[in-house]
């Protein structure tokens, strides 16, 4: 079990790897697995702006690509240089809702270590999901 300080430090490490040459807005994300292992993610931008990938999705896609099961994630930690703890974008909320268990804890930080803790199920009410494909 990681302490709040350890989660913050891991998220800062993830953020330090950000490739955000266009927005200069670096974001870090960490997926923590029930085994205690973790996978880091950062935002990766592109001169074709629409191709930018958020830190949260980088972490989740890396996790899958490296053979982990997203259902084994127990917590996600996200950080950016924001006034309040960072707010994950809508696209990432959809991806988190799709891949993670609804009770996964989401810990949001800013660089001042202000923190907000909620759950995946709190992030996106009335989400589009696989059930909508079958109606
Ligand atoms: N960004 C993230 O990585 N996560 C979010 O939840 C919000 C936005 C990135 C995308 C882009 O590289 C930069 O922040 C500015 O939007």
């Amino acid at each position: 079990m990681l302490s709040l300080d350890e989660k913050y430090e891991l998220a800062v490490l993830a953020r330090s790897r950000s490739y955000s040459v266009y927005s200069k807005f670096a974001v870090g994300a960490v997926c923590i697995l029930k085994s205690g292992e973790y996978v880091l993610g950062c935002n990766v931008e592109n001169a074709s702006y629409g191709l930018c990938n958020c830190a949260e999705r980088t972490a989740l896609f890396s996790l899958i690509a490296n053979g982990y099961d997203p259902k084994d994630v127990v917590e996600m930690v996200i950080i950016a240089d924001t006034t309040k703890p960072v707010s994950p974008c809508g696209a990432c909320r959809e991806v988190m809702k799709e891949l993670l268990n609804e009770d996964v804890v989401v810990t949001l930080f800013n660089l001042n270590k202000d923190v907000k803790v909620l759950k995946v199920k709190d992030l996106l009410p009335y989400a589009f999901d696989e059930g909508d494909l079958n109606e």
Side-chain angles (χ1 to χ4, degrees), residues 18-20 23-28 42-46 49 52-58 78-80 86-90 92-93:
S18 167
Y19 178 77
S20 43
S23 71
K24 317 282 189 211
F25 186 76
V27 186
C42 59
N43 54 329
V44 181
E45 300 190 340
N46 193 279
Y49 295 164
C52 295
N53 201 64
C54 292
E56 297 89 326
R57 281 177 287 149
T58 302
I78 309 166
I79 194 166
V86 62
S87 174
C89 82
C92 290
R93 292 176 194 224

